[in-house]
């Protein structure tokens, strides 16, 4: 793993690695975004349903207490001082009997949202002690904490996938780099070994052409020059590759 990360890359290998990382991370981020959105929608729905169930349960408990007190011939019910919601008790005419003075209540709906507040309207008291409606309000319900949590996990996943893509790319390129190094070493050794024979061949052909010119020797001279040009091209490519890796 350490050797893979310390691998020296040429320009074209570096571009290949960058293209791989962009493609891998881009597709993974797209998939993660879809998954994160679906998770957020599911968790938001579950959180809302849980809040609504708690509000309904609280209203039902108040209704049970009102019915119990009415059966005990108690004339008035007082809401508990410590309560998790704002609560108000209304008669059948919509007049406040007990609790917080909540305004603009829509008694026709059982559950509705107004701004950032949620309202639950219950008839659990069934008219006992004159209470027709139990109104429970949850103030400032927000999913900001859930959004931040989903974004945090999404960001950590993106960082992890990016690092994994970089590591995998280097690992995949390592055998390619080793093969290229082997070829470079072969070319380097070959060009080094060919340097002296090619120079000697060129000098010998030049001498023969000067003293005994002929078509055959001219063709040999042209061929030897082509070999020399190929040798120089190989040498140039080897030097270029070495400079890109440094």
């Amino acid at each position: 793993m350490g050797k893979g990360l310390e691998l020296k890359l040429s320009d074209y290998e570096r571009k290949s690695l960058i293209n791989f990382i962009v493609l891998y991370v881009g597709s993974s981020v797209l998939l993660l975004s879809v998954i994160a959105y679906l998770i957020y929608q599911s968790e938001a729905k579950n959180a809302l349903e849980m809040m609504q169930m708690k509000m309904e349960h609280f209203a039902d408990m108040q209704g049970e207490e009102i019915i119990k007190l009415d059966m005990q011939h108690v004339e008035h019910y007082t809401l508990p001082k410590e309560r998790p919601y704002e609560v108000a008790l209304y008669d059948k005419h919509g007049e406040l009997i007990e609790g917080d003075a909540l305004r603009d209540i829509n008694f026709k709906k059982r559950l509705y949202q107004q701004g950032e507040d949620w309202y639950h309207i219950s008839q659990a008291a069934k008219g006992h002690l004159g209470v027709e409606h139990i109104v429970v309000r949850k103030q400032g319900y927000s999913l900001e904490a859930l959004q931040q949590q989903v974004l945090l996990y999404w960001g950590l996943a993106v960082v992890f996938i990016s690092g994994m893509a970089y590591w995998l790319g280097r690992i995949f390129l390592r055998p390619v780099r080793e093969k290229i190094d082997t070829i470079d070493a072969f070319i380097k050794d070959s060009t080094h070994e060919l340097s002296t024979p090619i120079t000697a061949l060129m000098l010998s052909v030049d001498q023969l052409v000067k003293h005994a010119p002929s078509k055959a020797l001219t063709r040999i001279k042209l061929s030897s020059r082509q070999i020399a040009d190929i040798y120089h091209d190989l040498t140039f490519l080897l030097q270029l590759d070495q400079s890109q890796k440094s």
Side-chain angles (χ1 to χ4, degrees):
M1 177 177 173
K3 292 182 179 179
L5 293 176
E6 294 174 0
L7 187 66
K8 290 185 178 180
L9 303 176
S10 60
D11 288 343
Y12 57 88
E13 290 169 337
R14 193 174 293 107
K15 290 179 181 178
S16 299
L17 178 61
I18 292 174
N19 291 335
F20 169 77
I21 292 176
V22 170
L23 180 62
Y24 183 86
V25 174
S27 58
S28 299
V29 167
L30 178 61
L31 178 61
L32 276 175
S33 300
V34 173
I35 294 174
Y37 175 77
L38 294 177
I39 291 175
Y40 172 76
Q41 291 294 324
S42 176
E43 291 296 323
K45 181 180 178 181
N46 292 337
L48 181 60
E49 290 177 351
M50 181 62 67
M51 181 202 68
Q52 293 171 355
M53 288 176 59
K54 290 181 178 179
M55 293 174 67
E56 183 178 2
H57 176 69
F58 181 81
D60 290 342
M61 288 180 61
Q62 305 311 307
E64 291 175 3
E65 288 294 325
I66 292 172
I67 295 174
K68 184 190 299 183
L69 292 176
D70 191 25
M71 294 177 65
Q72 296 173 357
H73 306 290
V74 177
E75 296 182 356
H76 182 74
Y77 173 68
T78 302
L79 290 167
K81 294 182 179 180
E82 299 293 333
R83 50 183 183 264
Y85 309 102
E86 289 185 294
V87 185
L89 307 179
Y90 291 87
D91 62 16
K92 60 182 180 181
H93 302 294
E95 296 295 331
L96 179 65
I97 299 175
E98 168 74 15
D100 301 300
L102 305 180
R103 297 179 180 179
D104 302 325
I105 304 300
N106 188 347
F107 295 106
K108 295 181 180 180
K109 293 184 178 181
R110 182 169 178 269
L111 179 73
Y112 66 94
Q113 184 180 18
Q114 185 172 313
E116 293 185 353
D117 301 336
W118 281 87
Y119 292 81
H120 176 73
I121 315 298
S122 173
Q123 285 77 38
K126 302 182 185 302
H128 289 269
L129 298 181
V131 178
E132 189 68 24
H133 307 286
I134 302 174
V135 181
V136 181
R137 181 170 74 171
K138 172 67 174 178
Q139 282 189 312
Y141 178 73
S142 175
L143 295 173
E144 185 177 353
L146 177 61
Q147 293 173 355
Q148 291 178 352
Q149 186 178 21
V150 171
L151 286 175
L152 174 62
Y153 286 122
W154 179 84
L156 292 176
V158 170
V159 172
F160 174 78
I161 288 175
S162 301
M164 184 62 68
Y166 180 77
W167 179 72
L168 288 176
R170 299 297 292 261
I171 293 298
F172 292 155
L173 284 176
R174 183 180 178 187
V176 177
R177 180 71 261 174
E178 291 176 349
K179 290 295 183 181
I180 292 176
D181 288 341
T182 301
I183 295 173
D184 288 345
F186 172 75
I187 294 175
K188 183 178 180 180
D189 294 340
S190 300
T191 53
H192 179 72
E193 295 294 332
L194 288 173
S195 177
T196 301
I198 289 176
T199 302
L201 177 62
M202 292 292 297
L203 292 174
S204 299
V205 170
D206 287 340
Q207 292 295 325
L208 288 173
V209 171
K210 288 180 180 179
H211 293 87
S214 66
K215 291 183 179 180
L217 287 176
T218 302
R219 286 195 293 270
I220 293 173
K221 183 177 181 179
L222 292 175
S223 298
S224 63
R225 289 191 179 278
Q226 289 178 349
I227 294 174
D229 291 339
I230 294 173
Y231 163 76
H232 290 306
D233 290 341
L234 289 174
T235 303
F236 173 75
L237 290 175
L238 182 62
Q239 292 175 349
L240 180 62
D241 186 68
Q242 293 294 330
S243 63
Q244 288 179 346
K245 290 191 294 183
S246 61

